[in-house]
Amino acid sequence: MSARSTQDGSVTLLGMGIVVMMLFVGGLAFDLWRLVGERRVLADAADAAAAAGANAIDVDGYRHDGRLDLDPALARATAAASLASQPDLASLTRVAVSASPDVVVVRLDGRVELVLLDLFAPGQAVELRVEAQAAPRRGAADP
């Protein structure tokens, strides 16, 4: 046998190994990109809900003595309505909205199923948690 015949197919095996490795890296990149995207969607929704809730000021208090205090019940309801109007919250698992006269806080939990991780550990997912808070503030035109 010649030295050449003992190496037949080694390039094919090397190529197949590289292809499998590239598929693995691509799948991992896809999963991570999906995770980052879902977190961003949750964070944007929490920010929008907190900002909406911060607009729910106690109108009587503002008219009486110019205080910019929140109406906590109205702030919670406004933040919840903002979340209900968000279209892309498929990964959302839990919502917690709290409000005081000073600040409204929105906490969202989500769960993201990953494709590649599911091949190695079925049923596993990544849990996400985001939080946003906002408070009323005076604009440039307010005294």
Side-chain angles (χ1 to χ4, degrees), residues 10-84:
S10 62
V11 173
T12 303
L13 288 176
L14 178 65
M16 289 174 57
I18 289 174
V19 167
V20 169
M21 185 176 67
M22 292 300 288
L23 287 173
F24 179 78
V25 170
L28 188 60
F30 175 77
D31 281 348
L32 291 176
W33 192 255
R34 184 166 173 242
L35 183 63
V36 168
E38 289 295 329
R39 188 197 176 286
R40 183 176 176 192
V41 166
L42 288 177
D44 289 346
D47 287 342
N55 287 321
I57 63 169
D58 178 7
V59 177
D60 293 334
Y62 182 72
R63 287 181 181 160
H64 183 261
D65 59 7
R67 287 181 293 122
L68 269 180
D69 290 340
L70 289 174
D71 177 347
L74 183 59
R76 285 190 299 273
T78 305
S82 174
L83 286 171

